[in-house]
């Protein structure tokens, strides 16, 4: 039941430190919203993407310069988001208590965290493409049995990638951990990670059911949706923190 212990420990971490979480994430989150709003407003005001036609625009009609600008904005948004995430990891793992409403800016850790996240994204894309290619061949050749094999392969890849997540909190606290080190430290963690994934899936399912129940109340539904999105994001970050603390540093859960 270690998977449940990791999940419940992460939930408890969020609940016990909710005030600190607000102090850490409020300013970065508001900055992200401000940047996104400013960019969207500027794009529509410039006429590059006419209002109401964005969905129907072919990619070829968008200039390279515009795409590069959007990529730059994405990087800025990611770095601002990582600013809060790094501060949270350091608060939990190093007891670096937030002072005031602006988290400490650990520039080098943020940049390394970003690069490690990109590394994980590349590994994820390569793994998923390989599984999709192999699994689709099984699905076409063996029908429903092949589809079952495809599902199993995707679950296996998800568990493999979950074992690599500890490199992110490591980057936040200034510890260099390679992908092979991550696999070594999480050896034997597959059953726990599988149960953890089930717990996360069920939590998200409960959230979706709650949102569908209030879908007819627009304002309340929007507020609830934003609230759940923030809580689930914080929970996912806390799960990564717990995985690192338990499997790399040997902390109990």
């Amino acid at each position: 039941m270690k998977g449940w212990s990791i999940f419940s420990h992460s939930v408890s971490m969020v609940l016990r430190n909710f005030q600190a979480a607000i102090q850490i994430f409020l300013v970065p989150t508001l900055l992200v919203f401000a940047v996104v709003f400013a960019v969207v407003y500027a794009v529509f005001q410039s006429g590059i993407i006419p209002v109401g036609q964005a969905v129907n625009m072919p990619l070829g009609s968008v200039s390279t310069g515009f795409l590069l600008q959007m990529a730059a904005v994405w990087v800025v948004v990611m770095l601002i988001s990582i600013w809060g995430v790094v501060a949270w990891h350091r608060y939990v793992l190093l007891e670096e208590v937030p002072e005031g409403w602006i988290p400490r800016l650990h520039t080098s850790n943020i940049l390394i965290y970003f690069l490690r996240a990109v590394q994980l994204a590349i590994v994820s894309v390569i793994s998923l493409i390989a599984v999709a290619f192999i699994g689709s061949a099984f699905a076409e050749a063996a029908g429903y049995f092949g589809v079952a094999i495809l599902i199993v392969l995707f679950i296996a890849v998800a568990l493999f990638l979950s074992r690599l997540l500890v490199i992110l909190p490591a980057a936040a606290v200034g510890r260099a951990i390679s992908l092979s080190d991550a696999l070594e430290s999480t050896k034997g963690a597959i059953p726990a990670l599988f149960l953890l994934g089930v717990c996360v899936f069920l939590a998200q399912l409960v959230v979706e059911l709650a949102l569908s129940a209030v879908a007819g109340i627009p304002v309340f539904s929007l507020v609830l949706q934003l609230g759940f999105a923030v809580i689930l994001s914080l929970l996912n970050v806390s799960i990564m923190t717990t995985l690192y603390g338990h499997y790399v540093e040997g902390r109990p859960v």
Side-chain angles (χ1 to χ4, degrees):
M1 298 295 287
K2 184 178 288 187
W4 168 252
S5 298
I6 293 172
F7 179 78
S8 60
H9 184 273
S10 301
V11 172
S12 176
M13 182 189 302
V14 174
L15 297 177
R16 291 194 318 267
N17 303 284
F18 199 70
Q19 180 179 347
I22 294 176
Q23 284 184 261
I24 289 172
F25 286 101
L26 181 62
V27 171
T29 301
L30 291 177
L31 282 176
V32 167
F33 279 125
V35 170
V36 172
F37 177 81
V39 170
V40 171
Y41 180 80
V43 167
F44 284 126
Q45 285 295 312
S46 67
I48 296 176
I49 300 180
V51 177
Q53 300 181 22
V55 176
N56 300 318
M57 286 189 66
L59 184 60
S61 65
V62 181
S63 68
T64 303
F66 176 75
L67 293 177
L68 290 176
Q69 289 176 0
M70 290 301 100
V73 170
W74 175 81
V75 171
V76 170
V77 167
M78 286 296 298
L79 290 174
I80 295 174
S81 302
I82 291 172
W83 173 28
V85 173
V86 166
W88 178 258
H89 287 315
R90 295 179 68 88
Y91 166 69
V92 175
L93 297 170
L94 301 180
E95 298 183 359
E96 193 173 276
V97 180
E99 299 176 358
W101 292 94
I102 299 179
R104 296 179 188 177
L105 188 62
H106 298 277
T107 307
S108 60
N109 299 86
I110 292 171
L111 291 176
I112 294 172
Y113 197 104
F114 175 76
L115 294 175
R116 298 296 265 169
V118 171
Q119 182 184 26
L120 272 184
I122 293 172
V123 173
S124 301
V125 169
I126 294 174
S127 302
L128 291 173
I129 289 176
V131 167
F133 180 77
I134 298 172
S136 59
F138 275 108
E140 292 180 7
Y144 289 114
F145 179 71
V147 172
I149 293 177
L150 178 59
I151 294 173
V152 170
L153 288 175
F154 272 115
I155 293 175
V157 168
L159 292 173
F160 166 74
L161 295 174
S162 298
R163 295 176 60 189
L164 301 178
L165 289 176
V166 294
I167 70 173
L168 296 178
V173 298
R175 181 173 178 180
I177 293 182
S178 65
L179 297 181
S180 58
D181 292 335
L183 293 175
E184 179 64 27
S185 62
T186 55
K187 185 182 296 183
I190 293 297
L193 291 174
F194 179 79
L195 181 56
L196 175 62
V198 172
C199 292
V200 172
F201 170 77
L202 291 177
Q204 292 175 334
L205 181 61
V206 169
V207 168
E208 291 298 326
L209 292 174
L211 291 176
S212 63
V214 297
I217 314 174
V219 176
F220 181 70
S221 176
L222 178 61
V223 172
L224 199 62
Q225 186 173 358
L226 290 174
F228 276 135
V230 170
I231 291 173
L232 287 177
S233 298
L234 182 55
L235 176 60
N236 288 328
V237 174
S238 297
I239 287 173
M240 286 194 296
T241 310
T242 303
L243 290 175
Y244 173 83
H246 179 64
Y247 287 106
V248 178
E249 295 187 346
R251 303 188 185 197
V253 290

